[in-house]
Amino acid sequence: MERHFDQELDLLNKEILKMGVLAEDAIFKSIEALKNRDKKIAETVIGDDVKIDNLELEIDEKCVDLIARYQPVAKDLRFITTGMKINAELERIADIAVDIAQRVLELLDKPLLKPLVDIPKLTTIAQKMVKDAVDAFIRGDCDLAKLVLKTEPEADNLRDLIQSELVNDYMSKDGNSVPRAVQLFLITRFLERACDHATNIAEDVIYMVRAEIVKHHPEKL
């Protein structure tokens, strides 16, 4: 019985890793669509969201089934319940990619407002935070989870820089630029939200491994 339980936990691990890869890839593709002004890629991100939603439901059902059949306690119970929470965070990250792709479609028939430099940088940070957060869960690695938490201020600062530039250098100086600037403003906010979800995952990992709550308690890091 215990061997079968361990095998099913390992399968759950792999499914959550798959979910993480899909969410990270969706974020990447949404910004590639922006950089390349590629309608097909943007529409692919939107269309693929159904697969991610279905996988989220499958993982949730798996977690509930494991709890019902094996009635795990302590570390195993924390692993499964954390898996459910992380699953939801990853689905929200994929939804953010859809939000970005929709903004891209709004921009396709308009001239590019400015060279895209900082938004791709923020995307790279978001991707790495998501990947590291999921890897921290898979490996039960608190040090990697803490690294994710320590990266969040960098994402916040870059978001503030981009949004300040859009407001001060474009929106306030040229009313005609406002519709395009607003879309870029929203994309930046969406990327920072993806980083927030990665932070939530990292906090959940620390709780899973150490039964220690660090959310709202940065001094514990």
Side-chain angles (χ1 to χ4, degrees):
M1 179 72 75
E2 185 175 342
R3 184 172 65 86
H4 290 305
F5 181 49
D6 289 341
Q7 289 174 342
E8 293 196 60
L9 290 181
D10 183 59
L11 179 60
L12 176 61
N13 230 353
K14 291 177 181 176
E15 290 293 288
I16 292 174
L17 176 60
K18 179 181 178 181
M19 187 74 167
V21 170
L22 290 174
E24 181 192 346
D25 188 55
I27 290 290
F28 171 76
K29 285 180 178 176
S30 67
I31 298 301
E32 284 297 295
L34 175 65
K35 289 162 56 179
N36 299 319
R37 307 179 69 74
D38 192 315
K39 180 180 179 181
K40 184 177 180 180
I41 295 178
E43 291 177 338
T44 297
V45 171
I46 295 170
D48 285 350
D49 191 55
V50 175
K51 300 176 187 176
I52 297 173
D53 289 345
N54 289 338
L55 180 58
E56 183 209 10
L57 294 176
E58 290 174 13
I59 292 173
D60 261 358
E61 289 175 2
K62 177 70 173 176
C63 290
V64 172
D65 179 64
L66 286 172
I67 292 172
R69 286 193 292 119
Y70 293 103
Q71 299 180 0
V73 296
K75 186 176 181 180
D76 288 334
L77 180 59
R78 290 202 304 274
F79 173 80
I80 295 171
T81 55
T82 300
M84 293 179 73
K85 293 172 70 176
I86 289 174
N87 184 41
E89 297 286 357
L90 291 171
E91 191 276 333
R92 292 187 188 107
I93 291 171
D95 283 345
I96 284 171
V98 171
D99 289 334
I100 293 172
Q102 290 170 338
R103 304 286 75 73
V104 170
L105 292 178
E106 292 288 333
L107 287 168
L108 286 180
D109 62 347
K110 302 175 180 66
L112 192 63
L113 181 65
K114 62 186 289 294
L116 295 173
V117 177
D118 290 326
I119 286 179
K121 286 181 182 178
L122 183 54
T123 305
T124 299
I125 293 172
Q127 283 183 261
K128 189 172 191 310
M129 287 180 70
V130 172
K131 181 180 184 303
D132 286 350
V134 174
D135 286 348
F137 171 74
I138 299 300
R139 304 192 321 233
D141 189 337
C142 280
D143 289 336
L144 186 56
K146 288 180 180 179
L147 180 62
V148 173
L149 300 184
K150 292 175 180 177
T151 305
E152 186 182 19
E154 181 182 355
D156 290 343
N157 291 338
L158 189 51
R159 173 208 58 195
D160 292 344
L161 177 67
I162 297 169
Q163 293 185 341
S164 176
E165 180 186 14
L166 288 170
V167 171
N168 296 324
D169 294 350
Y170 295 92
M171 298 171 74
S172 64
K173 293 181 178 180
D174 180 7
N176 293 326
S177 73
V178 170
R180 288 173 291 161
V182 166
Q183 300 297 348
L184 294 178
F185 194 99
L186 290 172
I187 287 171
T188 303
R189 186 171 71 179
F190 291 143
L191 287 170
E192 193 274 330
R193 282 184 181 173
C195 296
D196 286 343
H197 288 301
T199 296
N200 292 342
I201 293 172
E203 290 170 344
D204 289 336
V205 169
I206 294 172
Y207 173 74
M208 178 187 75
V209 176
R210 296 185 178 175
E212 181 179 356
I213 299 174
V214 296
K215 189 174 184 178
H216 308 311
H217 297 283
E219 73 278 359
K220 292 185 178 182
L221 295 175

